Amino acid sequence: MAADLARLRPDLQVLSSGAAAEFEQYEHLGVFRTFKQAIGKAPADLASLVESLEALPLGRERTSALRKARALAGRVLKQQDAISALLRDTAEESLLGIDLTVASAGGAGKPRLEVALSAKWSLRTDRAQDCVSQGAKLVSQRRGRMPHFAVVTMEPRPAMLRILADGSGAVDCVYHLDLPALEHAVRLEAAAATAARWPPLETFERLCAQRRLRDYDELLNEVRRI
């Protein structure tokens, strides 16, 4: 699918297994992790400085420099304890990995995320909830325009498709890789059913009428419009 979209729009950045923090609207999510990595280097750097000063020839300047360096190291260690407690007690928001991303150039900064896709060959209840959770986080944690977030699947059961397509709006829509074939199969099953009304067919027709369930070709059109 990534290769398909990349051929369609070679001017866009199409990647598999992307992290939201790599894009303009979500780059702030990486600040906390970067801070933790950077702050941990200070004690080691100061220890190295003290060792370098101790190797200098004896003299008044060496003694003065060592005194200042050791005092600074003591203050940094106290600050480090406070920072460690803060980091330990502060919740860090995380995003699930995005299966496929389509991004445009973001000027001098990071690329702008235009389309984020969760790819599920089939659906289980827990997989569907992962998609909803990911969409909700993309909505709440963004700074800037919301990317088009959708699920791409081959799931054949209308009841499972409804879990995603009937959601609260965290998922824009569900793209089916072969919606015409699925429609044909659902109508065949409905015709063979003994009841006058077959709920799976009603669910399928409603999802399509509301455009909550769409064919994969419509995803291609969405990418063309970027």
Side-chain angles (χ1 to χ4, degrees):
M1 187 164 57
D4 194 24
L5 296 179
R7 282 193 298 269
L8 182 68
R9 288 293 303 271
D11 57 315
L12 298 176
Q13 181 190 85
V14 181
L15 298 173
S16 298
S17 302
E22 296 301 316
F23 301 97
E24 179 185 272
Q25 304 100 305
Y26 302 97
E27 63 179 324
H28 59 281
L29 297 177
V31 171
F32 194 75
R33 183 175 301 170
T34 302
F35 172 73
K36 287 198 296 185
Q37 293 171 348
I39 201 66
K41 298 177 181 178
D45 291 343
L46 278 170
S48 177
L49 174 61
V50 170
E51 288 182 6
S52 298
L53 291 173
E54 289 174 341
L56 294 175
L58 295 175
R60 184 178 299 173
E61 292 182 357
R62 172 184 179 275
T63 302
S64 176
L66 270 173
R67 186 184 304 113
K68 292 178 181 178
R70 286 168 178 160
L72 177 60
R75 291 196 298 271
V76 168
L77 286 175
K78 289 181 180 179
Q79 292 173 355
Q80 190 76 15
D81 290 340
I83 291 170
S84 296
L86 175 64
L87 295 177
R88 185 175 58 250
D89 297 335
T90 301
E92 181 178 3
E93 289 290 345
S94 62
L95 284 169
L96 301 174
I98 304 173
D99 292 329
L100 194 147
T101 59
V102 180
S104 60
K110 292 190 175 184
R112 182 182 302 109
L113 185 59
E114 303 287 353
V115 178
L117 299 172
S118 178
K120 304 295 182 188
W121 184 255
S122 61
L123 293 174
R124 298 192 309 258
T125 302
D126 57 338
R127 286 179 178 173
Q129 291 305 317
D130 283 348
C131 297
V132 173
S133 173
Q134 175 72 341
K137 287 184 176 182
L138 286 171
V139 170
S140 64
Q141 295 181 6
R142 76 190 191 282
R143 290 183 181 175
R145 185 165 58 84
M146 175 67 188
H148 175 50
F149 178 67
V151 178
V152 181
T153 186
M154 277 290 287
E155 173 59 51
R157 296 166 294 175
M160 291 304 299
L161 292 169
R162 184 183 62 186
I163 294 176
L164 283 175
D166 263 356
S168 60
V171 178
D172 290 340
C173 66
V174 176
Y175 292 108
H176 198 279
L177 287 173
D178 197 342
L179 191 60
L182 176 58
E183 180 178 7
H184 179 69
V186 170
R187 294 194 181 281
L188 282 178
E189 289 295 318
T194 56
R197 296 172 54 202
W198 196 54
L201 175 60
E202 293 179 343
T203 297
F204 177 81
E205 289 179 334
R206 178 173 57 79
L207 294 178
C208 290
Q210 294 175 351
R211 293 188 47 74
R212 303 290 293 164
L213 181 61
R214 307 179 189 181
D215 188 57
Y216 176 71
D217 285 347
E218 293 201 48
L219 172 60
L220 301 183
N221 292 334
E222 186 74 31
V223 173
R224 287 190 184 99
R225 286 193 292 267
I226 296 173

